[in-house]
Amino acid sequence: MAPRMKEDAWAQVQSAHDALEGISTLSLFEEDVHRASDFACEGAGLYLDFSKNRISREGLSALLNLATASGLTVKRDAMFRGERINITEDRAVLHTALRDRSGRVVPAGNEDACELAGRERARILNFAEAVINGDSLGYTGKPLTTVVNIGIGGSDLGPLMVVEALRSYWIDGRRSFFVSNVDGQHLRDTLSQCDPESTLFIVASKTFTTQETMTNAQSALAWFREQGGDSAAISKHFVALSTNPEAVSDFGIVPDSTFGFWDWVGGRYSLWSAIGLSIALQVGPQRFLELLDGAHAMDVHFAEEPPVTNMPMLLALAGIWNRNFEGMGVHAVLPYDQHLHRLPAYLQQADMESNGKSVTLDGRRAAVGTGPIIFGEPGTNGQHAFYQLLHQGTDPLSSDFIVAARLDSELGDHHAKLLANVLAQPRALMCGQSEDVVRADLAADGLTDDAIDLLAPHKVFDGDRPSNVILMDRLTPQTLGALIALYEHKIFCQGVIWDVNSFDQWGVELGKVLAKEILPTLETGHMEESLDIDPSTRRLLEWILARRSSQ
Ligand code: F6P
């Protein structure tokens, strides 16, 4: 798209924003009786209300125009078609093909990505079925009822988040652990709860070279051997998920126990691939397929719905408005669902690793702010922790509230209370509370004028703190799949508008290299004079070495 066109579109959004100077979100509702229904959309089992963002109709139409000027639909179609849009790694981006069971053909090189995915999925699900049914047993004949997934980043957060989210669908008698941290306490604490005879280890790593995962996998293997597992036993208790079969084989895992995927599946977009094996083992193959189908329904919505009712696009545009025009660099993800307690952590990687970039696709410094800081916790817990800042902090931020209208099995009035809270918070953030109202309330409570003067400023809420609300009927594998795909596509849309590559992650490399340089010093306990490090790090290292040598 011509840069000039995009600049003009950006300027139009800026003018629409400027025109809102001094206008509150509440007054936008007062002027427009259709706002609540028009600033909302539905698709793939989800309902999005974005009306509490301080965006006017003119602002929305300018944002939609910005999407057009950024070539959003063209780039979306290119992604779905399998074009190599990840230009810095020269790869296609085809996680959507992993969940497309429609029979569509999506070229990946000389092959069909959907067909490849389907074939490998059948292997994964057959394996999961055999483990669950007891056709595949441990080396002493015990069922493999415990799974330890060893992976990190996308090879951990996705399956972990989904397994937790689908707790209501867990198969009785099965349990899953996720070990990610190279901190040995993570593995040791996990192994202390495992019986080697009934534990299946999944070594999940796209590259099969990640330091944390390989260290944990080697230590798990050593533990398994110490517990009596011999080479034949290992083949029953260790499987690998990777795009690097050679490294898997060097590690000692046989091809039959290796489940693959492809370079067109990004790590943080991989839970739909073999990386989802732990999900299938915990909730069963059928539920895993339902998860894929939910995501596919959102893919179809994203691919076919016009921008004006396209949920990922609208969510992305509301985010662009808040990030770039309201100046909000932080975005909170607030699921009112205890089972979604790992969603914020999952979205931290999905969003911040994708859009935390400072250069545009052509290598120039980004002229506007890109990916925001993402954080969050489930409601209502967050309300009693950090919501104070959401309501009255000096740096306003935007939020997403997520909730299901009902649960399969509700406990008393818990869910009604949860729903009351999730509706109250966005309302409080938007409406705020003026000083006049505060003073009147305090006077009605019988406070003196002096007491009112003292207290009133502390009880004022500015309001106009934007939020989206995402509703679903129930949290099921389908709606969860749709929710994750919604966020994947939102991130894609924002990356297109910011003109960054949302599919690489060069920013994680430097730290890895520097850690490798320091490691020998820590292993030997001796610092070579020649070690080329800055004075601060040198001094920290000396302090640590002194403590470690006194052990
Ligand atoms: O270091 C970042 C990263 O490359 C993530 O993008 C990825 O999800 C994670 O490491 C794990 O990588 P792998 O699956 O190759 O072990």
Side-chain angles (χ1 to χ4, degrees), residues 262-473:
W262 308 270
D263 72 354
W264 39 263
V265 181
R268 53 192 173 276
Y269 300 90
S270 64
L271 72 89
W272 323 99
S273 72
I275 293 293
L277 176 60
S278 52
I279 303 171
L281 284 161
Q282 189 60 43
V283 299
Q286 180 53 33
R287 300 304 189 188
F288 184 71
L289 290 175
E290 289 165 13
L291 179 80
L292 300 192
D293 289 349
H296 179 63
M298 183 54 76
D299 295 341
V300 172
H301 170 98
F302 178 47
E304 295 178 2
E305 197 71 14
V308 69
T309 46
N310 191 303
M311 197 180 295
M313 290 188 193
L314 292 168
L315 192 60
L317 292 173
I320 295 281
W321 177 272
N322 292 325
R323 172 75 182 103
N324 299 114
F325 299 91
E326 295 275 38
M328 297 175 185
V330 180
H331 182 75
V333 176
L334 307 167
Y336 275 61
D337 193 314
Q338 193 53 34
H339 288 179
L340 288 175
H341 70 112
R342 294 302 285 165
L343 182 70
Y346 167 78
L347 289 177
Q348 279 179 332
Q349 187 198 13
D351 202 318
M352 294 167 78
E353 200 168 79
S354 296
N355 285 341
K357 312 280 164 69
S358 298
V359 291
T360 54
L361 283 168
D362 60 6
R364 282 190 286 197
R365 292 298 294 181
V368 297
T370 62
I373 296 166
I374 304 288
F375 83 106
E377 278 290 324
T380 57
N381 294 3
Q383 290 177 202
H384 299 273
F386 56 83
Y387 278 34
Q388 165 64 39
L389 184 147
L390 265 55
H391 288 286
Q392 289 188 318
T394 50
D395 299 285
L397 52 108
S398 55
S399 313
D400 288 349
F401 291 85
I402 302 162
V403 75
R406 53 188 173 137
L407 294 183
D408 276 340
S409 149
E410 293 191 13
L411 179 63
D413 64 354
H414 286 236
H415 204 65
K417 286 176 175 157
L418 185 80
L419 287 165
N421 276 284
V422 74
L423 293 175
Q425 290 296 330
R427 183 167 139 72
L429 285 166
M430 173 178 72
C431 299
Q433 184 164 256
S434 71
E435 186 160 348
D436 288 350
V437 170
V438 171
R439 284 183 170 276
D441 283 352
L442 291 174
D445 286 347
L447 268 74
T448 64
D449 286 351
D450 282 352
I452 292 174
D453 285 345
L454 176 84
L455 208 46
H458 299 277
K459 297 189 68 145
V460 169
F461 290 65
D462 292 339
D464 277 329
R465 305 213 159 184
S467 66
N468 302 297
V469 178
I470 299 170
L471 300 177
M472 62 197 91
D473 178 7

Side-chain angles (χ1 to χ4, degrees), residues 152-155 205-207 210 213 267-268 349 353 505 508 512:
I152 197 165
S155 300
S205 176
K206 180 176 171 182
T207 54
T210 303
T213 302
R268 53 192 173 276
Q349 187 198 13
E353 200 168 79
Q505 55 284 318
V508 301
K512 291 184 192 172

Side-chain angles (χ1 to χ4, degrees), residues 1 66 82 141 153 187 271 318 323 344 441 465 513 542 545:
M1 220 45 56
L66 175 63
L187 181 67
L271 72 89
R323 172 75 182 103
D441 283 352
R465 305 213 159 184
V513 172
E542 280 165 358
L545 289 179

Side-chain angles (χ1 to χ4, degrees), residues 66-212:
L66 175 63
T68 309
S70 306
L72 179 55
T73 53
V74 176
K75 291 185 177 169
R76 170 200 63 190
D77 296 347
M79 175 175 77
F80 276 103
R81 266 200 312 273
E83 284 183 25
R84 299 171 96 80
I85 61 167
N86 175 359
I87 55 159
T88 60
E89 296 178 320
D90 190 23
R91 290 176 183 168
V93 174
L94 277 176
H95 46 278
T96 49
L98 297 168
R99 52 217 191 195
D100 187 342
R101 304 196 296 137
S102 68
R104 200 168 70 99
V105 173
V106 178
N110 295 327
E111 305 195 81
D112 169 12
C114 297
E115 210 245 315
L116 282 176
R119 236 186 295 142
E120 200 61 8
R121 188 166 55 238
R123 286 189 66 225
I124 296 154
L125 298 187
N126 285 341
F127 174 75
E129 193 72 65
V131 170
I132 293 166
N133 290 343
D135 290 342
S136 189
L137 296 167
Y139 72 109
T140 57
K142 281 193 184 172
L144 293 163
T145 49
T146 299
V147 167
V148 177
N149 186 88
I150 298 175
I152 197 165
S155 300
D156 167 72
L157 287 164
L160 165 58
M161 181 273 286
V162 171
V163 163
E164 287 295 306
L166 297 183
R167 188 172 270 268
S168 312
Y169 296 84
W170 282 11
I171 296 171
D172 279 349
R174 298 203 61 76
R175 54 188 199 146
S176 306
F177 294 97
F178 291 82
V179 175
S180 50
N181 202 328
V182 76
D183 178 348
Q185 298 176 106
H186 200 179
L187 181 67
R188 204 171 41 206
D189 294 349
T190 303
L191 294 179
S192 70
Q193 302 170 69
C194 295
D195 167 9
E197 296 172 40
S198 58
T199 300
L200 175 71
F201 291 93
I202 300 177
V203 186
S205 176
K206 180 176 171 182
T207 54
F208 231 72
T209 57
T210 303
Q211 184 192 56
E212 292 90 336

Side-chain angles (χ1 to χ4, degrees), residues 1-14:
M1 220 45 56
R4 185 60 212 265
M5 216 178 123
K6 192 162 170 187
E7 268 171 39
D8 290 350
W10 199 273
Q12 261 181 39
V13 183
Q14 186 63 59

